[in-house]
Amino acid sequence: TKIHTVALSATTISATNIKTATLGATNISATNIVATSVDTDIVFAISGQYGDELDSGFTPVFLLVDSPFTFTVNTFSRKLSAGAIVASVIIATSAAGTETTVTGLNALAVGTTKAITTATGSNIVSVGSALKFKLTGVAATDRNFSFTLKCTRSNFSGA
C-alpha cells in the first residue's frame, strides 16, 4: 500500500491549537490563519515620560492598575534630562494586598545617562495585579523622567 500526502493549500485555516512540533506536514501555504492558541511569546513595552511634575508626593507611580493577562517584566530602561533620583519596580497583588519589589530592579539610580537593567526574579505580573514605580530622592530640579519596561507574554492565547 502506498500513502500519498498532498500539499495543504487554503485561503482560511481555523484551528484551536497550532504548534510547529505537531504539524508533521512538509508544505503548508495559506493567506489567512486564524488560531485560538499559538505557542509563542509576545514581547511588548510599557513606556512613558513625566516632565516637570516630579515631586516628593509623586510616588508611587501606577503604570498598570489591573493587568488583563499574566506577563514577565524583563528589563527597565530609564533616564532623566536633569537631576538624579532612585527608582524601584513593584508588583502589587490586589487579592492579598502585598507588594513585591522585582529582584534586580530595586533602588536603581536614575540620572542623565540612559541605563538598562535586567530583572533577575520576582518579575511575573499576574492577572489582576498592579505594576508601579516607587521614586525616592526626588527634588525640584529633577526633570523629564523617561522609562521603558520590556515585557514578555508567554504562550499567547487569543485570536
Side-chain angles (χ1 to χ4, degrees), residues 54 116 126 136 138:
L54 287 173
I116 302 171
S126 300
T136 57
V138 177

Side-chain angles (χ1 to χ4, degrees), residues 71-156:
F71 65 92
T72 303
V73 176
N74 300 316
T75 62
F76 175 37
S77 305
R78 68 242 178 240
K79 182 181 176 191
L80 288 169
S81 65
I85 60 174
V86 175
S88 297
V89 179
I90 310 286
I91 298 170
T93 58
S94 57
T98 58
E99 292 186 350
T100 302
T101 302
V102 175
T103 307
L105 303 184
N106 185 34
L108 297 174
V110 182
T112 57
T113 301
K114 177 182 165 185
I116 302 171
T117 305
T118 300
T120 58
S122 300
N123 56 339
I124 297 175
V125 179
S126 300
V127 172
S129 293
L131 182 63
K132 61 185 179 177
F133 290 127
K134 279 192 179 174
L135 305 176
T136 57
V138 177
T141 55
D142 297 323
R143 297 283 185 267
N144 301 316
F145 172 51
S146 300
F147 64 89
T148 299
L149 289 163
K150 289 191 179 172
C151 306
T152 303
R153 183 177 179 188
S154 297
N155 297 319
F156 175 75

Side-chain angles (χ1 to χ4, degrees), residues 7-30:
L8 174 62
S9 177
T11 55
T12 301
I13 297 173
S14 294
T16 56
N17 195 356
I18 296 176
K19 291 186 180 182
T20 55
T22 60
L23 287 176
T26 56
N27 187 5
I28 297 176
S29 91

